[in-house]
Amino acid sequence: MLFNRLGEPNVTTNLIADETCISPGNLYYHFNSKQDIVLELFKRFAVQFEPLLDVPAELSLHAQDLWFQLHLSFELKGHFRFLYRNLADITADDSNLNRAFKGLFLREREAARNLLSSLEDSGALSIRKTEKELLLNNLMLSLVYWIPFSELFSESGLEDSDVQVKAIAGVLQMVMPYLREREHIEFAELCDTYLAHSRADD
Amino acid sequence: MLFNRLGEPNVTTNLIADETCISPGNLYYHFNSKQDIVLELFKRFAVQFEPLLDVPAELSLHAQDLWFQLHLSFELKGHFRFLYRNLADITADDSNLNRAFKGLFLREREAARNLLSSLEDSGALSIRKTEKELLLNNLMLSLVYWIPFSELFSESGLEDSDVQVKAIAGVLQMVMPYLREREHIEFAELCDTYLAHSRADD
DNA sequence: GTCTATATCTAGATAGAC
DNA sequence: GTCTATCTAGATATAGAC
């Protein structure tokens, strides 16, 4: 919570001890180092993220379900957004974490690739090979950096549901142009619905 | 250079003094604080970025010219990539810098919007209003975070021309689906050419 | 397990001679 | 303008009593 609110580099171990109502010494009884705390949090994130990376073989390819998957994914990342906000430094300090994160990204990319392939197999999507790689780059960029990006403007970092809707709609929009007309319309209408609903919240 | 290589938080004022072959005391004669150095570098960046934000009225809308514009923009950002790598922290520490950066982003977004509008006026581009906003979000995300994103995998952060080609092609690909067929083909062929050329470098 | 007190270290920044 | 030497603050981490 503190990391999310203040940023990992700005949270001291004394502050953590203070906030958890234990002494600094006690904190270091439970954790070997500050980095150890970060690592422990990363592990929790990774465990929860894991199931979202397994694209089930019998995955439904309907817009609703994809939306929901993306929603779960962004929501979880939002809870651990301090990790994504300081990716460069957090991974630079710790080569274990660095490898772990890279591995996660590669798996996420593969999951996205498999999903596109499924859509291709079903005839719903058609895309050239070079376009597919570029699309995957763009998708990954959104999946990794949407949270820090949105925080530059709104502070709330995906706590706000409106921000999340825009994130998901943005991701889906990147895929839409390559969809067959029927699915294209289905996706577009879903996005419109959510976006209209979200604006109504204001 | 040090900031780019090691990351701003990991560069001490003593190291800067060392690298520039002057004493720490002398460094503080020339700059009031470390943040002052960051600010000075940001100013240089902003001055050089300024002309790239002015989309000329008589802008040519050919793929080649857009490519070149994006190339200049990414190249410049690459030279100051430490700013983009630690956006969250760098702007959090200094509210002046925060405002300045936000202003830059908004202007960049406006520039992109104007460019899209020009394409619309000329009949080359057709896009719905809600799609346009989402597209602008996605474009901005690429323009702001492509460099740190690429650094997660390659270290070289846009020094490598291959990385830059992918960045630009990715941006253009996001616009392509909304282009009229003639321009769509023109853009696609340009991307293919650069991408093929870049792969040949390996 | 938990505390208080403190060690250690390193960063940014300053003082004052030259 | 430039230097050496040093201050100061704040952060991580440890020692040792309870």
Side-chain angles (χ1 to χ4, degrees):
Chain A
M1 203 189 66
L2 288 173
F3 285 163
N4 280 341
R5 197 164 70 223
L6 305 171
E8 185 270 337
N10 307 311
V11 176
T12 70
T13 50
N14 282 334
L15 182 57
I16 296 174
D18 211 49
E19 193 80 7
T20 52
C21 298
I22 63 172
S23 66
N26 194 8
L27 182 67
Y28 275 88
Y29 172 79
H30 289 284
F31 297 94
N32 295 319
S33 66
K34 186 185 173 185
Q35 186 62 21
D36 193 34
I37 299 175
V38 173
L39 210 69
E40 206 54 46
L41 287 168
F42 173 79
K43 278 187 202 160
R44 293 194 186 184
F45 168 67
V47 166
Q48 293 180 67
F49 194 45
E50 199 67 21
L52 298 177
L53 286 173
D54 292 322
V55 183
E58 79 291 3
L59 172 78
S60 142
L61 300 169
H62 286 290
Q64 278 281 7
D65 302 305
L66 283 180
W67 185 285
F68 186 60
Q69 279 289 115
L70 284 169
H71 166 75
L72 289 178
S73 172
F74 272 119
E75 188 171 60
L76 178 61
K77 287 172 184 171
H79 290 147
F80 292 87
R81 58 186 180 278
F82 74 96
L83 290 170
Y84 284 86
R85 187 163 43 204
N86 291 73
L87 261 184
D89 291 331
I90 281 183
T91 59
D93 290 348
D94 185 319
S95 64
N96 284 329
L97 196 50
N98 191 346
R99 270 196 302 277
F101 243 118
K102 273 189 189 166
L104 223 56
F105 289 152
L106 291 178
R107 293 198 51 202
E108 196 171 11
R109 193 191 171 95
E110 279 312 299
R113 182 196 304 282
N114 289 339
L115 207 141
L116 292 181
S117 298
S118 297
L119 285 166
E120 276 179 299
D121 293 345
S122 76
L125 183 136
S126 155
I127 188 169
R128 287 190 307 142
K129 197 170 172 303
T130 56
E131 284 178 328
K132 195 175 181 179
E133 292 309 310
L134 290 174
L135 175 60
L136 281 170
N137 286 346
N138 288 337
L139 287 173
M140 284 306 295
L141 190 60
S142 280
L143 295 174
V144 172
Y145 279 108
W146 226 99
I147 292 175
F149 179 67
S150 70
E151 283 186 317
L152 292 179
F153 305 98
S154 76
E155 311 274 312
S156 73
L158 287 222
E159 297 294 318
D160 178 357
S161 78
D162 178 47
V163 172
Q164 213 184 98
V165 166
K166 280 182 188 154
I168 303 173
V171 168
L172 291 184
Q173 170 157 309
M174 286 196 269
V175 180
M176 270 190 243
Y178 307 98
L179 289 175
R180 177 171 54 185
E181 192 180 359
R182 199 177 74 210
E183 281 79 6
H184 191 138
I185 290 170
E186 183 190 339
F187 276 56
E189 281 177 351
L190 184 71
C191 285
D192 284 349
T193 307
Y194 273 105
L195 286 168
H197 188 279
S198 134
R199 266 190 303 276
D201 286 346
D202 295 344
Chain B
M1 204 188 66
L2 288 173
F3 285 163
N4 280 341
R5 197 164 70 224
L6 305 172
E8 184 271 337
N10 307 310
V11 174
T12 68
T13 50
N14 282 334
L15 182 56
I16 296 174
D18 213 47
E19 193 80 8
T20 51
C21 298
I22 62 171
S23 66
N26 193 9
L27 182 67
Y28 275 88
Y29 171 78
H30 288 286
F31 297 95
N32 295 319
S33 67
K34 186 185 175 187
Q35 187 63 20
D36 194 32
I37 300 176
V38 173
L39 211 68
E40 205 56 45
L41 286 167
F42 172 79
K43 277 187 202 161
R44 292 195 188 185
F45 168 66
V47 165
Q48 292 180 66
F49 194 44
E50 198 67 20
L52 299 175
L53 286 172
D54 292 322
V55 183
E58 80 290 5
L59 172 78
S60 141
L61 300 169
H62 286 290
Q64 278 282 6
D65 301 306
L66 283 181
W67 185 285
F68 186 60
Q69 279 290 115
L70 284 169
H71 166 75
L72 290 177
S73 171
F74 273 118
E75 189 171 61
L76 178 62
K77 288 171 183 172
H79 290 146
F80 291 87
R81 58 187 180 277
F82 74 95
L83 290 170
Y84 284 85
R85 188 164 43 206
N86 292 75
L87 261 184
D89 292 331
I90 281 184
T91 60
D93 291 347
D94 184 321
S95 64
N96 284 329
L97 195 50
N98 191 344
R99 270 195 302 277
F101 243 119
K102 273 188 188 165
L104 223 55
F105 290 151
L106 291 179
R107 293 198 51 201
E108 195 172 12
R109 193 189 171 97
E110 280 311 300
R113 183 197 303 282
N114 290 339
L115 206 141
L116 292 181
S117 297
S118 298
L119 285 165
E120 275 179 299
D121 293 344
S122 75
L125 184 136
S126 154
I127 189 168
R128 287 190 307 141
K129 197 170 172 303
T130 56
E131 284 178 326
K132 194 174 181 181
E133 291 309 310
L134 291 175
L135 175 60
L136 281 170
N137 286 346
N138 289 337
L139 288 173
M140 284 306 294
L141 190 59
S142 281
L143 295 174
V144 172
Y145 278 108
W146 227 98
I147 292 175
F149 178 68
S150 70
E151 283 186 316
L152 292 179
F153 304 98
S154 76
E155 311 273 313
S156 73
L158 289 222
E159 297 292 319
D160 178 358
S161 78
D162 178 47
V163 172
Q164 213 184 97
V165 166
K166 280 181 187 152
I168 303 174
V171 168
L172 291 184
Q173 169 156 307
M174 286 197 269
V175 180
M176 270 190 246
Y178 306 98
L179 288 174
R180 177 170 54 185
E181 193 180 358
R182 198 176 74 210
E183 281 80 6
H184 191 139
I185 291 171
E186 183 191 339
F187 276 57
E189 282 177 351
L190 185 70
C191 286
D192 285 349
T193 307
Y194 274 105
L195 285 168
H197 188 279
S198 132
R199 266 191 304 275
D201 287 345
D202 294 344

